[in-house]
Amino acid sequence: MLLAGCASLGPQLPMEAADEIESQEPALGVRTLGADGEFELLSSRELARRLRTGLGERPLRILALSSGGASGAFGAGALAGSTSGGERPEFTVVTGVSSGALVAPFAFLGPAWDPEMRAIFTTGVTDGILQPRGLGALFGSSVYSGEPLRRLIEHYADDAMIAAIAAEAAKGRLLLIATTDFSSGEPVIWDLGSIALHGGRNAKPLFHGVLLASASVPGMLPPVVVSFRSGGRLRRETHVDGGVTLPFFIAPAPEDLPQPAAGGPQSTMVRVIIDGPLRNLPRPTHANALSVFSRSLSAGLSHITRTQLEATMDAVRQRGVSIDYAAIPASYPLRGAFDFAAEAQRSLFEYAASCAAADRLWIPAHARGGGEHKSESRPASAPATCPADDSYIEHVAALTN
């Protein structure tokens, strides 16, 4: 009883007063850091206008990386395999949520950074990333310590990476990451490129803090306090996993994407990588708290992600734009949302890389009036079942016809 009573206490997390919480539409407003060190909130429409001005006649290419816990290895492998298969374009906009947020900087910087990305998921770096806090969990805000993940982020998001991202942001490209504001319960989208470009000596801690917050599952990892300047004052907010409110997102919003000219070629590419399955097959679950929580989280993520994917595909296609997506087949032997063991991470990474290299990763959902996807024979080099071979994943595209 004493332990339970003490566990209910603890320091109050930083939060805004009710009348100070910034009102914004989920997934539309983007917090962008200006040269003056102040954040402003850009609407999706303004974001689209700036992109059109900067791109000119060049195509708009968007990549969205979803949440998915330990399954972030799938998105990383998909990128690496796309490089070796020669099918990886330079994306104008890269968005990431949770585990997808941790991969997004590598996706943004391109193939030159594949060796660093590969090392994270194939050399055992993630093994032990969940460090139990023991009895400390009763008196703190999480079951696991956030320090191993923080150290991992600080190791790879070093000065060289931040400088490289700043250089690409200066060209007008966007790296956008979603967190969840713990006090308002709303998603917040951060322009990490602008932080790298204009953050000065505060760029690195703010960059690290946003990435850490986006991947910090409430209750599993501690909330993250983010400090920044906006409206002429210093603000301190508590943020948690972006996947709580937003499994993935594209930016600009679908309704603001440029429409192709009648009869002309498409100038916009949209791709979505789902770091998880779109449905769950029955499997045994051990009667312990982590197994039950992991299984419940996987089921919830699958459902909300599938719903978001269907809505996004429908909205994008209504604009006359095609969209490609990939997800992990339900038959793949995932062992839970928190399986960061070295062998599990390496196997999932190599699986996705093999499918991408064999051109069996993407399922196209054509724009209204476009052609329909037809399955092709599987190359001998591909695994037994790749995303493009899975009938259920392909069926999701048919639901929006």
Side-chain angles (χ1 to χ4, degrees), residues 269-289:
M269 168 193 284
V270 179
R271 284 184 169 176
V272 179
I273 297 179
I274 303 298
D275 284 334
L278 296 177
R279 65 167 174 166
N280 287 275
L281 298 178
R283 72 166 187 262
T285 302
H286 294 290
N288 61 68

Side-chain angles (χ1 to χ4, degrees), residues 158-217:
D158 56 9
D159 291 332
M161 172 177 274
I162 292 176
I165 288 173
E168 294 303 313
K171 301 175 185 177
R173 297 177 62 213
L174 296 174
L175 173 59
L176 308 178
I177 301 302
T179 63
T180 298
D181 184 334
F182 198 63
S183 61
S184 69
E186 294 292 341
V188 175
I189 299 174
W190 303 82
D191 181 353
L192 279 195
S194 70
I195 293 174
L197 184 60
H198 298 305
R201 59 185 178 183
N202 293 323
K204 188 187 290 187
L206 185 53
F207 195 99
H208 292 167
V210 171
L211 284 179
L212 181 62
S214 186
S216 294
V217 180

Side-chain angles (χ1 to χ4, degrees), residues 322-334:
S322 297
I323 177 172
D324 298 335
Y325 66 98
I328 303 175
S331 59
Y332 184 88
L334 291 174

